[in-house]
Amino acid sequence: MNSSGPPPAADGPLPGPGGPLPDHGSPLPGPGGPRRDALADRAGYDEAFLGPVVPLPLPVRDTVGTVILPYTHFTVVFRPDRRLAASTAVCIEGRELLEDVPREDIWEFDPRLPDEQQAGGELYRNNSLDRGHLVRRLDPVWGSAAVAARANTDTFHYTNAAPQADVFNQGKQLWQGLENYLLDHAAEFDRKLTVLTGPVLQDSDPPYRGFQVPLRFWKVAAFLQDGALAASAYVLDQSPDLSRDAERALAGATPGAPPPLGPFRTYQVPVSDVAELTELEFGPLPDVDVMPQARGPEERWRRLESYGDIVLHP
């Protein structure tokens, strides 16, 4: 087992561009229209999906005007100042997942926000960055065929994307399969999961095309264990590999090129560390963490080489 200490906490919120933004939880203003009407009936994330309440992760202090965007079976807490999500939350009903829903890969702006407040195609065009789903495409795709198809389409809004390295390595494979692994271990509890995900947004994130590219992502899964609420947290790190690319990483990327992202490294971490990194509120989840508390920071982050390294019992 390899271990690594946690990165430094975020330096604080960035100033938002433009005029005032709605407070989180406020109704979204703006004119109607076909595209807006198409999203008007979305119920979003259900905090009581598991039985015990798992609240939507909101900023402890919202100084930038986050906006809540409900979709089918999931919700995005969006930061227009960064043009990226601060957090997402999805309900996964494992018994009803429909894996044969076609993948369309047609990304759209959410019409409930101005296009200029979202990170659209200009961020990803003609470079090595992927549009990384925050809510994984298959996670909300359950229920009737019509509802599942709508959920699939909903995940292809730019509000549910963040730039990620296009390399595919073991760390990325582990990250993308976490929900499946956890669902398998929740089989006796009706295969239900609540998954909270987002980027770690820091002032030090490298700039690119007028955006800032997050170097880390987090995921917190909540489930029932022995009939009680339990949680497990993870961090995906795509920071530059200084041992291989030190000169470019330290000197800055070639003008016009994206930041030199490294291969993905996946860690299991305490839920409380994710709360500290993100400055988000996770309700009861830090107190029901299945990962045993370690004394030093270097012992708290568990580098995952395989799913067998995951701790799911205190």
Side-chain angles (χ1 to χ4, degrees), residues 63-130:
T63 61
V64 295
T66 55
V67 178
I68 295 177
L69 300 170
Y71 298 96
T72 304
H73 298 152
F74 71 97
T75 293
V76 171
V77 179
F78 195 74
R79 275 186 56 171
D81 66 305
R82 284 292 299 262
R83 291 178 278 180
L84 295 170
S87 68
T88 67
V90 61
C91 303
I92 308 175
E93 177 55 87
R95 297 175 304 171
E96 299 181 24
L97 286 171
L98 300 182
E99 298 184 3
D100 57 349
V101 175
R103 181 185 181 113
E104 297 178 352
D105 277 320
I106 300 174
W107 289 85
E108 292 188 315
F109 289 107
D110 188 310
R112 297 171 292 185
L113 287 174
D115 291 359
E116 60 270 20
Q117 290 183 356
Q118 305 173 57
E122 71 274 18
L123 174 58
Y124 304 97
R125 190 175 296 117
N126 300 324
N127 57 32
S128 59
L129 295 177
D130 279 345

Short mmCIF file of all heavy atoms in Angstrom, two decimals, residues 63-130:
data_model
loop_
_atom_site.label_atom_id
_atom_site.label_comp_id
_atom_site.label_asym_id
_atom_site.label_seq_id
_atom_site.Cartn_x
_atom_site.Cartn_y
_atom_site.Cartn_z
N THR A 63 -19.89 32.98 -0.61
CA THR A 63 -19.56 34.37 -0.90
C THR A 63 -19.56 34.65 -2.40
O THR A 63 -19.28 35.79 -2.81
CB THR A 63 -18.17 34.71 -0.33
OG1 THR A 63 -17.19 33.86 -0.94
CG2 THR A 63 -18.15 34.53 1.17
N VAL A 64 -19.85 33.64 -3.23
CA VAL A 64 -19.76 33.83 -4.68
C VAL A 64 -21.09 33.62 -5.38
O VAL A 64 -21.18 33.80 -6.60
CB VAL A 64 -18.69 32.89 -5.28
CG1 VAL A 64 -17.31 33.24 -4.78
CG2 VAL A 64 -19.02 31.43 -5.01
N GLY A 65 -22.14 33.23 -4.66
CA GLY A 65 -23.44 33.08 -5.29
C GLY A 65 -23.59 31.81 -6.08
O GLY A 65 -23.81 31.84 -7.30
N THR A 66 -23.46 30.66 -5.41
CA THR A 66 -23.67 29.39 -6.11
C THR A 66 -25.15 29.26 -6.51
O THR A 66 -26.03 29.87 -5.91
CB THR A 66 -23.28 28.19 -5.22
OG1 THR A 66 -23.99 28.28 -3.99
CG2 THR A 66 -21.79 28.17 -4.96
N VAL A 67 -25.39 28.45 -7.53
CA VAL A 67 -26.72 28.25 -8.08
C VAL A 67 -27.03 26.76 -8.08
O VAL A 67 -26.20 25.95 -8.46
CB VAL A 67 -26.81 28.81 -9.52
CG1 VAL A 67 -28.20 28.55 -10.11
CG2 VAL A 67 -26.49 30.29 -9.54
N ILE A 68 -28.23 26.40 -7.63
CA ILE A 68 -28.65 25.00 -7.60
C ILE A 68 -29.40 24.67 -8.89
O ILE A 68 -30.38 25.33 -9.23
CB ILE A 68 -29.53 24.71 -6.38
CG1 ILE A 68 -28.70 24.90 -5.10
CG2 ILE A 68 -30.11 23.31 -6.44
CD1 ILE A 68 -29.50 24.71 -3.83
N LEU A 69 -28.92 23.64 -9.59
CA LEU A 69 -29.50 23.22 -10.86
C LEU A 69 -29.97 21.77 -10.76
O LEU A 69 -29.16 20.85 -10.80
CB LEU A 69 -28.45 23.35 -11.98
CG LEU A 69 -27.87 24.76 -12.22
CD1 LEU A 69 -26.68 24.69 -13.16
CD2 LEU A 69 -28.95 25.69 -12.77
N PRO A 70 -31.27 21.53 -10.63
CA PRO A 70 -31.77 20.15 -10.57
C PRO A 70 -31.90 19.53 -11.96
O PRO A 70 -32.27 20.20 -12.93
CB PRO A 70 -33.15 20.31 -9.92
CG PRO A 70 -33.57 21.70 -10.25
CD PRO A 70 -32.32 22.53 -10.37
N TYR A 71 -31.58 18.25 -12.04
CA TYR A 71 -31.73 17.46 -13.25
C TYR A 71 -32.49 16.18 -12.89
O TYR A 71 -33.15 16.12 -11.85
CB TYR A 71 -30.36 17.13 -13.87
CG TYR A 71 -29.58 18.36 -14.30
CD1 TYR A 71 -28.61 18.93 -13.47
CD2 TYR A 71 -29.80 18.95 -15.54
CE1 TYR A 71 -27.89 20.05 -13.86
CE2 TYR A 71 -29.08 20.08 -15.94
CZ TYR A 71 -28.13 20.62 -15.10
OH TYR A 71 -27.42 21.73 -15.48
N THR A 72 -32.42 15.16 -13.72
CA THR A 72 -33.11 13.91 -13.46
C THR A 72 -32.26 13.02 -12.56
O THR A 72 -31.20 12.54 -12.98
CB THR A 72 -33.43 13.17 -14.77
OG1 THR A 72 -34.19 14.04 -15.62
CG2 THR A 72 -34.23 11.90 -14.50
N HIS A 73 -32.68 12.85 -11.32
CA HIS A 73 -32.01 12.02 -10.31
C HIS A 73 -30.71 12.63 -9.80
O HIS A 73 -30.01 11.99 -9.01
CB HIS A 73 -31.72 10.59 -10.83
CG HIS A 73 -32.95 9.82 -11.18
ND1 HIS A 73 -32.94 8.81 -12.15
CD2 HIS A 73 -34.21 9.88 -10.72
CE1 HIS A 73 -34.15 8.30 -12.25
NE2 HIS A 73 -34.94 8.93 -11.40
N PHE A 74 -30.36 13.84 -10.22
CA PHE A 74 -29.15 14.47 -9.68
C PHE A 74 -29.30 15.98 -9.70
O PHE A 74 -30.18 16.54 -10.36
CB PHE A 74 -27.89 14.03 -10.44
CG PHE A 74 -27.74 14.57 -11.84
CD1 PHE A 74 -26.96 15.69 -12.11
CD2 PHE A 74 -28.35 13.93 -12.92
CE1 PHE A 74 -26.79 16.17 -13.40
CE2 PHE A 74 -28.19 14.39 -14.22
CZ PHE A 74 -27.41 15.51 -14.47
N THR A 75 -28.42 16.63 -8.94
CA THR A 75 -28.40 18.09 -8.82
C THR A 75 -26.96 18.58 -8.90
O THR A 75 -26.05 17.93 -8.38
CB THR A 75 -29.06 18.55 -7.50
OG1 THR A 75 -30.46 18.25 -7.54
CG2 THR A 75 -28.88 20.03 -7.25
N VAL A 76 -26.78 19.72 -9.54
CA VAL A 76 -25.47 20.37 -9.62
C VAL A 76 -25.53 21.66 -8.81
O VAL A 76 -26.45 22.46 -8.98
CB VAL A 76 -25.10 20.68 -11.09
CG1 VAL A 76 -23.84 21.55 -11.16
CG2 VAL A 76 -24.90 19.39 -11.87
N VAL A 77 -24.56 21.84 -7.92
CA VAL A 77 -24.36 23.11 -7.22
C VAL A 77 -23.27 23.85 -7.98
O VAL A 77 -22.11 23.46 -7.96
CB VAL A 77 -23.97 22.90 -5.75
CG1 VAL A 77 -23.75 24.23 -5.05
CG2 VAL A 77 -25.02 22.07 -5.02
N PHE A 78 -23.66 24.91 -8.68
CA PHE A 78 -22.79 25.51 -9.70
C PHE A 78 -22.20 26.83 -9.22
O PHE A 78 -22.86 27.62 -8.55
CB PHE A 78 -23.60 25.75 -10.98
CG PHE A 78 -22.76 26.02 -12.19
CD1 PHE A 78 -22.06 25.01 -12.80
CD2 PHE A 78 -22.68 27.31 -12.71
CE1 PHE A 78 -21.27 25.25 -13.92
CE2 PHE A 78 -21.89 27.57 -13.82
CZ PHE A 78 -21.19 26.54 -14.44
N ARG A 79 -20.91 27.05 -9.60
CA ARG A 79 -20.23 28.30 -9.30
C ARG A 79 -19.99 29.08 -10.58
O ARG A 79 -19.04 28.80 -11.33
CB ARG A 79 -18.89 28.03 -8.60
CG ARG A 79 -19.03 27.87 -7.10
CD ARG A 79 -17.68 27.74 -6.42
NE ARG A 79 -16.78 28.85 -6.70
CZ ARG A 79 -15.62 29.04 -6.08
NH1 ARG A 79 -15.26 28.20 -5.11
NH2 ARG A 79 -14.83 30.04 -6.39
N PRO A 80 -20.85 30.06 -10.89
CA PRO A 80 -20.64 30.84 -12.11
C PRO A 80 -19.31 31.58 -12.14
O PRO A 80 -18.78 31.86 -13.22
CB PRO A 80 -21.83 31.80 -12.12
CG PRO A 80 -22.88 31.11 -11.31
CD PRO A 80 -22.12 30.40 -10.23
N ASP A 81 -18.75 31.92 -10.97
CA ASP A 81 -17.48 32.64 -10.96
C ASP A 81 -16.35 31.77 -11.51
O ASP A 81 -15.41 32.29 -12.11
CB ASP A 81 -17.13 33.12 -9.54
CG ASP A 81 -16.87 31.96 -8.59
OD1 ASP A 81 -17.75 31.08 -8.47
OD2 ASP A 81 -15.79 31.94 -7.97
N ARG A 82 -16.42 30.45 -11.33
CA ARG A 82 -15.44 29.54 -11.90
C ARG A 82 -15.95 28.86 -13.17
O ARG A 82 -15.20 28.15 -13.83
CB ARG A 82 -15.05 28.47 -10.86
CG ARG A 82 -14.13 28.94 -9.75
CD ARG A 82 -12.73 29.26 -10.24
NE ARG A 82 -12.06 28.13 -10.84
CZ ARG A 82 -11.18 27.36 -10.20
NH1 ARG A 82 -10.89 27.60 -8.93
NH2 ARG A 82 -10.60 26.36 -10.82
N ARG A 83 -17.23 29.04 -13.47
CA ARG A 83 -17.88 28.42 -14.63
C ARG A 83 -17.82 26.90 -14.56
O ARG A 83 -17.82 26.20 -15.58
CB ARG A 83 -17.27 28.95 -15.94
CG ARG A 83 -17.62 30.41 -16.20
CD ARG A 83 -17.00 30.95 -17.45
NE ARG A 83 -15.61 31.36 -17.21
CZ ARG A 83 -14.82 31.87 -18.15
NH1 ARG A 83 -15.27 32.02 -19.39
NH2 ARG A 83 -13.59 32.23 -17.86
N LEU A 84 -17.78 26.37 -13.34
CA LEU A 84 -17.73 24.94 -13.07
C LEU A 84 -18.61 24.64 -11.85
O LEU A 84 -18.96 25.53 -11.09
CB LEU A 84 -16.31 24.47 -12.79
CG LEU A 84 -15.28 24.57 -13.91
CD1 LEU A 84 -13.88 24.29 -13.36
CD2 LEU A 84 -15.61 23.61 -15.05
N ALA A 85 -18.91 23.37 -11.67
CA ALA A 85 -19.67 22.95 -10.50
C ALA A 85 -18.79 23.01 -9.26
O ALA A 85 -17.59 22.73 -9.31
CB ALA A 85 -20.20 21.53 -10.68
N ALA A 86 -19.40 23.35 -8.13
CA ALA A 86 -18.74 23.20 -6.83
C ALA A 86 -18.97 21.80 -6.30
O ALA A 86 -18.10 21.21 -5.66
CB ALA A 86 -19.28 24.23 -5.84
N SER A 87 -20.17 21.26 -6.56
CA SER A 87 -20.49 19.90 -6.13
C SER A 87 -21.64 19.37 -6.95
O SER A 87 -22.38 20.14 -7.60
CB SER A 87 -20.85 19.86 -4.64
OG SER A 87 -22.09 20.53 -4.40
N THR A 88 -21.79 18.06 -6.93
CA THR A 88 -22.95 17.39 -7.53
C THR A 88 -23.41 16.31 -6.57
O THR A 88 -22.64 15.85 -5.71
CB THR A 88 -22.61 16.74 -8.88
OG1 THR A 88 -21.69 15.65 -8.67
CG2 THR A 88 -21.98 17.74 -9.84
N ALA A 89 -24.66 15.90 -6.72
CA ALA A 89 -25.20 14.83 -5.88
C ALA A 89 -26.17 14.01 -6.73
O ALA A 89 -27.03 14.57 -7.41
CB ALA A 89 -25.92 15.41 -4.66
N VAL A 90 -26.02 12.69 -6.69
CA VAL A 90 -26.84 11.80 -7.52
C VAL A 90 -27.36 10.64 -6.69
O VAL A 90 -26.67 10.14 -5.79
CB VAL A 90 -26.06 11.28 -8.75
CG1 VAL A 90 -24.84 10.47 -8.33
CG2 VAL A 90 -26.94 10.46 -9.67
N CYS A 91 -28.58 10.22 -6.98
CA CYS A 91 -29.17 9.02 -6.39
C CYS A 91 -29.01 7.88 -7.39
O CYS A 91 -29.39 8.02 -8.56
CB CYS A 91 -30.65 9.24 -6.11
SG CYS A 91 -31.01 10.64 -5.02
N ILE A 92 -28.47 6.74 -6.93
CA ILE A 92 -28.27 5.59 -7.80
C ILE A 92 -29.11 4.43 -7.29
O ILE A 92 -28.89 3.96 -6.17
CB ILE A 92 -26.78 5.18 -7.87
CG1 ILE A 92 -25.89 6.38 -8.21
CG2 ILE A 92 -26.58 4.06 -8.87
CD1 ILE A 92 -24.41 6.06 -8.17
N GLU A 93 -30.05 3.99 -8.09
CA GLU A 93 -30.88 2.84 -7.77
C GLU A 93 -30.33 1.65 -8.57
O GLU A 93 -30.66 1.46 -9.75
CB GLU A 93 -32.34 3.12 -8.13
CG GLU A 93 -33.29 1.95 -7.92
CD GLU A 93 -33.24 1.40 -6.52
OE1 GLU A 93 -33.96 1.91 -5.65
OE2 GLU A 93 -32.48 0.42 -6.30
N GLY A 94 -29.44 0.88 -7.94
CA GLY A 94 -28.72 -0.16 -8.65
C GLY A 94 -29.59 -1.22 -9.27
O GLY A 94 -29.25 -1.79 -10.32
N ARG A 95 -30.74 -1.51 -8.67
CA ARG A 95 -31.61 -2.55 -9.20
C ARG A 95 -32.30 -2.14 -10.49
O ARG A 95 -32.77 -3.00 -11.24
CB ARG A 95 -32.69 -2.90 -8.16
CG ARG A 95 -32.18 -3.48 -6.86
CD ARG A 95 -33.33 -3.67 -5.89
NE ARG A 95 -34.05 -2.41 -5.67
CZ ARG A 95 -35.19 -2.31 -5.02
NH1 ARG A 95 -35.78 -3.39 -4.55
NH2 ARG A 95 -35.77 -1.12 -4.85
N GLU A 96 -32.35 -0.83 -10.76
CA GLU A 96 -33.10 -0.34 -11.92
C GLU A 96 -32.22 0.32 -12.97
O GLU A 96 -32.73 0.95 -13.91
CB GLU A 96 -34.18 0.65 -11.46
CG GLU A 96 -35.20 0.07 -10.50
CD GLU A 96 -36.26 1.10 -10.09
OE1 GLU A 96 -36.47 2.06 -10.85
OE2 GLU A 96 -36.85 0.92 -9.02
N LEU A 97 -30.89 0.20 -12.84
CA LEU A 97 -30.01 0.82 -13.81
C LEU A 97 -30.22 0.22 -15.20
O LEU A 97 -30.35 -1.00 -15.36
CB LEU A 97 -28.54 0.63 -13.39
CG LEU A 97 -28.06 1.49 -12.22
CD1 LEU A 97 -26.67 1.05 -11.78
CD2 LEU A 97 -28.04 2.97 -12.59
N LEU A 98 -30.24 1.06 -16.22
CA LEU A 98 -30.40 0.63 -17.61
C LEU A 98 -29.10 0.94 -18.35
O LEU A 98 -28.83 2.10 -18.69
CB LEU A 98 -31.58 1.34 -18.26
CG LEU A 98 -32.95 1.13 -17.61
CD1 LEU A 98 -34.03 1.86 -18.41
CD2 LEU A 98 -33.29 -0.36 -17.52
N GLU A 99 -28.30 -0.07 -18.57
CA GLU A 99 -26.98 0.15 -19.15
C GLU A 99 -26.99 0.20 -20.67
O GLU A 99 -25.96 0.46 -21.29
CB GLU A 99 -26.02 -0.94 -18.66
CG GLU A 99 -25.82 -0.93 -17.15
CD GLU A 99 -24.79 -1.94 -16.69
OE1 GLU A 99 -24.20 -2.61 -17.57
OE2 GLU A 99 -24.57 -2.05 -15.47
N ASP A 100 -28.15 -0.07 -21.30
CA ASP A 100 -28.20 -0.09 -22.76
C ASP A 100 -28.72 1.21 -23.36
O ASP A 100 -29.01 1.29 -24.55
CB ASP A 100 -29.07 -1.26 -23.25
CG ASP A 100 -30.50 -1.21 -22.70
OD1 ASP A 100 -30.74 -0.41 -21.78
OD2 ASP A 100 -31.34 -1.99 -23.17
N VAL A 101 -28.83 2.26 -22.55
CA VAL A 101 -29.24 3.56 -23.08
C VAL A 101 -28.10 4.11 -23.94
O VAL A 101 -26.96 4.21 -23.48
CB VAL A 101 -29.57 4.55 -21.94
CG1 VAL A 101 -29.89 5.93 -22.51
CG2 VAL A 101 -30.74 4.02 -21.11
N PRO A 102 -28.37 4.46 -25.20
CA PRO A 102 -27.30 4.90 -26.11
C PRO A 102 -26.60 6.15 -25.60
O PRO A 102 -27.22 7.05 -25.04
CB PRO A 102 -28.03 5.18 -27.43
CG PRO A 102 -29.31 4.43 -27.34
CD PRO A 102 -29.68 4.42 -25.88
N ARG A 103 -25.30 6.20 -25.82
CA ARG A 103 -24.50 7.38 -25.48
C ARG A 103 -24.46 8.31 -26.68
O ARG A 103 -24.08 7.89 -27.78
CB ARG A 103 -23.08 6.96 -25.09
CG ARG A 103 -22.18 8.11 -24.70
CD ARG A 103 -20.76 7.66 -24.44
NE ARG A 103 -19.93 8.79 -24.05
CZ ARG A 103 -19.40 8.95 -22.85
NH1 ARG A 103 -19.59 8.04 -21.92
NH2 ARG A 103 -18.66 10.00 -22.57
N GLU A 104 -24.85 9.59 -26.48
CA GLU A 104 -24.95 10.51 -27.60
C GLU A 104 -23.75 11.45 -27.71
O GLU A 104 -23.39 11.87 -28.80
CB GLU A 104 -26.24 11.34 -27.47
CG GLU A 104 -27.49 10.49 -27.54
CD GLU A 104 -28.76 11.32 -27.35
OE1 GLU A 104 -28.62 12.51 -27.01
OE2 GLU A 104 -29.84 10.77 -27.53
N ASP A 105 -23.15 11.82 -26.58
CA ASP A 105 -22.01 12.75 -26.58
C ASP A 105 -22.32 14.09 -27.24
O ASP A 105 -21.50 14.66 -27.93
CB ASP A 105 -20.78 12.11 -27.23
CG ASP A 105 -20.01 11.23 -26.27
OD1 ASP A 105 -19.86 11.62 -25.11
OD2 ASP A 105 -19.56 10.14 -26.67
N ILE A 106 -23.54 14.57 -27.03
CA ILE A 106 -23.91 15.90 -27.50
C ILE A 106 -24.00 16.80 -26.27
O ILE A 106 -24.93 16.69 -25.47
CB ILE A 106 -25.24 15.88 -28.26
CG1 ILE A 106 -25.14 14.96 -29.49
CG2 ILE A 106 -25.64 17.29 -28.68
CD1 ILE A 106 -26.45 14.77 -30.21
N TRP A 107 -23.01 17.68 -26.11
CA TRP A 107 -22.95 18.54 -24.94
C TRP A 107 -23.66 19.86 -25.21
O TRP A 107 -23.53 20.44 -26.30
CB TRP A 107 -21.49 18.80 -24.56
CG TRP A 107 -20.82 17.59 -24.00
CD1 TRP A 107 -20.21 16.58 -24.68
CD2 TRP A 107 -20.70 17.25 -22.61
NE1 TRP A 107 -19.72 15.65 -23.81
CE2 TRP A 107 -20.00 16.02 -22.54
CE3 TRP A 107 -21.12 17.87 -21.42
CZ2 TRP A 107 -19.72 15.41 -21.32
CZ3 TRP A 107 -20.82 17.26 -20.22
CH2 TRP A 107 -20.13 16.04 -20.18
N GLU A 108 -24.40 20.35 -24.22
CA GLU A 108 -25.17 21.58 -24.36
C GLU A 108 -24.99 22.46 -23.13
O GLU A 108 -24.71 21.98 -22.04
CB GLU A 108 -26.66 21.28 -24.53
CG GLU A 108 -27.03 20.58 -25.82
CD GLU A 108 -28.53 20.49 -25.98
OE1 GLU A 108 -29.21 20.13 -25.00
OE2 GLU A 108 -29.03 20.81 -27.07
N PHE A 109 -25.18 23.76 -23.35
CA PHE A 109 -25.25 24.68 -22.22
C PHE A 109 -26.58 24.48 -21.49
O PHE A 109 -27.59 24.11 -22.10
CB PHE A 109 -25.16 26.13 -22.70
CG PHE A 109 -23.81 26.53 -23.21
CD1 PHE A 109 -23.60 26.72 -24.57
CD2 PHE A 109 -22.76 26.73 -22.33
CE1 PHE A 109 -22.35 27.10 -25.04
CE2 PHE A 109 -21.51 27.10 -22.79
CZ PHE A 109 -21.30 27.28 -24.15
N ASP A 110 -26.57 24.72 -20.19
CA ASP A 110 -27.82 24.73 -19.44
C ASP A 110 -28.49 26.09 -19.69
O ASP A 110 -27.90 27.13 -19.40
CB ASP A 110 -27.55 24.54 -17.94
CG ASP A 110 -28.82 24.36 -17.13
OD1 ASP A 110 -29.74 25.20 -17.28
OD2 ASP A 110 -28.91 23.41 -16.34
N PRO A 111 -29.72 26.08 -20.24
CA PRO A 111 -30.36 27.35 -20.59
C PRO A 111 -30.78 28.19 -19.40
O PRO A 111 -31.19 29.34 -19.56
CB PRO A 111 -31.58 26.90 -21.39
CG PRO A 111 -31.89 25.54 -20.87
CD PRO A 111 -30.56 24.91 -20.57
N ARG A 112 -30.67 27.63 -18.18
CA ARG A 112 -31.06 28.38 -17.00
C ARG A 112 -29.97 29.34 -16.53
O ARG A 112 -30.18 30.13 -15.61
CB ARG A 112 -31.43 27.40 -15.87
CG ARG A 112 -32.64 26.53 -16.22
CD ARG A 112 -32.87 25.42 -15.22
NE ARG A 112 -31.81 24.42 -15.26
CZ ARG A 112 -31.83 23.28 -14.54
NH1 ARG A 112 -32.86 23.03 -13.75
NH2 ARG A 112 -30.83 22.43 -14.64
N LEU A 113 -28.80 29.26 -17.17
CA LEU A 113 -27.70 30.18 -16.89
C LEU A 113 -27.21 30.77 -18.21
O LEU A 113 -27.28 30.11 -19.25
CB LEU A 113 -26.53 29.45 -16.22
CG LEU A 113 -26.68 29.01 -14.77
CD1 LEU A 113 -25.47 28.18 -14.35
CD2 LEU A 113 -26.82 30.21 -13.86
N PRO A 114 -26.67 31.98 -18.19
CA PRO A 114 -26.06 32.52 -19.41
C PRO A 114 -24.91 31.63 -19.88
O PRO A 114 -24.15 31.09 -19.06
CB PRO A 114 -25.54 33.90 -18.97
CG PRO A 114 -26.36 34.25 -17.76
CD PRO A 114 -26.64 32.95 -17.07
N ASP A 115 -24.79 31.46 -21.19
CA ASP A 115 -23.73 30.61 -21.74
C ASP A 115 -22.35 31.05 -21.26
O ASP A 115 -21.47 30.21 -21.00
CB ASP A 115 -23.76 30.65 -23.27
CG ASP A 115 -24.98 29.97 -23.86
OD1 ASP A 115 -25.80 29.43 -23.07
OD2 ASP A 115 -25.13 29.97 -25.09
N GLU A 116 -22.14 32.36 -21.13
CA GLU A 116 -20.81 32.86 -20.77
C GLU A 116 -20.43 32.52 -19.33
O GLU A 116 -19.27 32.69 -18.94
CB GLU A 116 -20.72 34.37 -21.01
CG GLU A 116 -21.70 35.21 -20.22
CD GLU A 116 -23.02 35.44 -20.96
OE1 GLU A 116 -23.32 34.67 -21.89
OE2 GLU A 116 -23.73 36.40 -20.59
N GLN A 117 -21.38 32.05 -18.52
CA GLN A 117 -21.06 31.64 -17.16
C GLN A 117 -20.76 30.14 -17.07
O GLN A 117 -20.55 29.63 -15.97
CB GLN A 117 -22.22 31.99 -16.22
CG GLN A 117 -22.38 33.48 -15.99
CD GLN A 117 -23.48 33.81 -15.00
OE1 GLN A 117 -24.20 32.93 -14.52
NE2 GLN A 117 -23.63 35.08 -14.68
N GLN A 118 -20.71 29.45 -18.21
CA GLN A 118 -20.46 28.01 -18.22
C GLN A 118 -19.21 27.71 -19.05
O GLN A 118 -18.91 28.41 -20.02
CB GLN A 118 -21.66 27.27 -18.81
CG GLN A 118 -22.97 27.58 -18.10
CD GLN A 118 -24.18 26.98 -18.79
OE1 GLN A 118 -24.25 25.77 -19.00
NE2 GLN A 118 -25.14 27.83 -19.15
N ALA A 119 -18.49 26.68 -18.67
CA ALA A 119 -17.30 26.25 -19.41
C ALA A 119 -17.75 25.36 -20.56
O ALA A 119 -18.05 24.19 -20.37
CB ALA A 119 -16.34 25.49 -18.49
N GLY A 120 -17.81 25.94 -21.76
CA GLY A 120 -18.33 25.23 -22.92
C GLY A 120 -17.24 24.66 -23.80
O GLY A 120 -16.10 24.42 -23.37
N GLY A 121 -17.58 24.46 -25.06
CA GLY A 121 -16.69 23.78 -25.99
C GLY A 121 -15.36 24.47 -26.21
O GLY A 121 -14.37 23.82 -26.55
N GLU A 122 -15.32 25.81 -26.01
CA GLU A 122 -14.06 26.52 -26.24
C GLU A 122 -12.95 26.06 -25.31
O GLU A 122 -11.76 26.16 -25.62
CB GLU A 122 -14.26 28.04 -26.11
CG GLU A 122 -14.52 28.55 -24.70
CD GLU A 122 -15.98 28.49 -24.28
OE1 GLU A 122 -16.75 27.75 -24.92
OE2 GLU A 122 -16.33 29.17 -23.30
N LEU A 123 -13.30 25.54 -24.13
CA LEU A 123 -12.29 25.04 -23.20
C LEU A 123 -11.68 23.73 -23.68
O LEU A 123 -10.51 23.46 -23.42
CB LEU A 123 -12.93 24.86 -21.81
CG LEU A 123 -12.06 24.20 -20.73
CD1 LEU A 123 -10.78 25.00 -20.50
CD2 LEU A 123 -12.85 24.08 -19.42
N TYR A 124 -12.46 22.92 -24.39
CA TYR A 124 -12.04 21.56 -24.73
C TYR A 124 -11.62 21.39 -26.19
O TYR A 124 -11.19 20.30 -26.58
CB TYR A 124 -13.19 20.59 -24.44
CG TYR A 124 -13.69 20.66 -23.01
CD1 TYR A 124 -14.80 21.42 -22.67
CD2 TYR A 124 -13.04 19.96 -22.00
CE1 TYR A 124 -15.26 21.48 -21.37
CE2 TYR A 124 -13.49 20.02 -20.68
CZ TYR A 124 -14.60 20.78 -20.38
OH TYR A 124 -15.05 20.84 -19.08
N ARG A 125 -11.73 22.43 -26.99
CA ARG A 125 -11.52 22.29 -28.43
C ARG A 125 -10.04 22.20 -28.78
O ARG A 125 -9.22 22.98 -28.31
CB ARG A 125 -12.16 23.48 -29.15
CG ARG A 125 -12.24 23.36 -30.66
CD ARG A 125 -13.01 24.53 -31.26
NE ARG A 125 -14.40 24.52 -30.81
CZ ARG A 125 -14.95 25.46 -30.08
NH1 ARG A 125 -14.23 26.50 -29.68
NH2 ARG A 125 -16.22 25.39 -29.72
N ASN A 126 -9.68 21.23 -29.63
CA ASN A 126 -8.33 21.10 -30.20
C ASN A 126 -7.23 21.05 -29.13
O ASN A 126 -6.24 21.77 -29.19
CB ASN A 126 -8.04 22.25 -31.17
CG ASN A 126 -9.03 22.29 -32.32
OD1 ASN A 126 -9.45 21.24 -32.81
ND2 ASN A 126 -9.40 23.49 -32.75
N ASN A 127 -7.44 20.21 -28.12
CA ASN A 127 -6.41 20.04 -27.09
C ASN A 127 -6.53 18.64 -26.49
O ASN A 127 -7.30 17.81 -26.97
CB ASN A 127 -6.53 21.13 -26.02
CG ASN A 127 -7.90 21.16 -25.36
OD1 ASN A 127 -8.56 20.14 -25.21
ND2 ASN A 127 -8.33 22.35 -24.95
N SER A 128 -5.78 18.41 -25.44
CA SER A 128 -5.72 17.08 -24.82
C SER A 128 -6.64 16.95 -23.61
O SER A 128 -6.50 16.01 -22.83
CB SER A 128 -4.28 16.77 -24.39
OG SER A 128 -3.82 17.75 -23.46
N LEU A 129 -7.59 17.89 -23.45
CA LEU A 129 -8.48 17.83 -22.30
C LEU A 129 -9.77 17.09 -22.65
O LEU A 129 -10.35 17.29 -23.72
CB LEU A 129 -8.83 19.25 -21.83
CG LEU A 129 -7.67 20.09 -21.29
CD1 LEU A 129 -8.17 21.49 -20.92
CD2 LEU A 129 -7.04 19.42 -20.07
N ASP A 130 -10.20 16.24 -21.73
CA ASP A 130 -11.50 15.57 -21.85
C ASP A 130 -12.56 16.35 -21.10
O ASP A 130 -12.28 16.98 -20.08
CB ASP A 130 -11.43 14.16 -21.26
CG ASP A 130 -10.82 13.15 -22.21
OD1 ASP A 130 -10.70 13.46 -23.41
OD2 ASP A 130 -10.46 12.05 -21.75
#
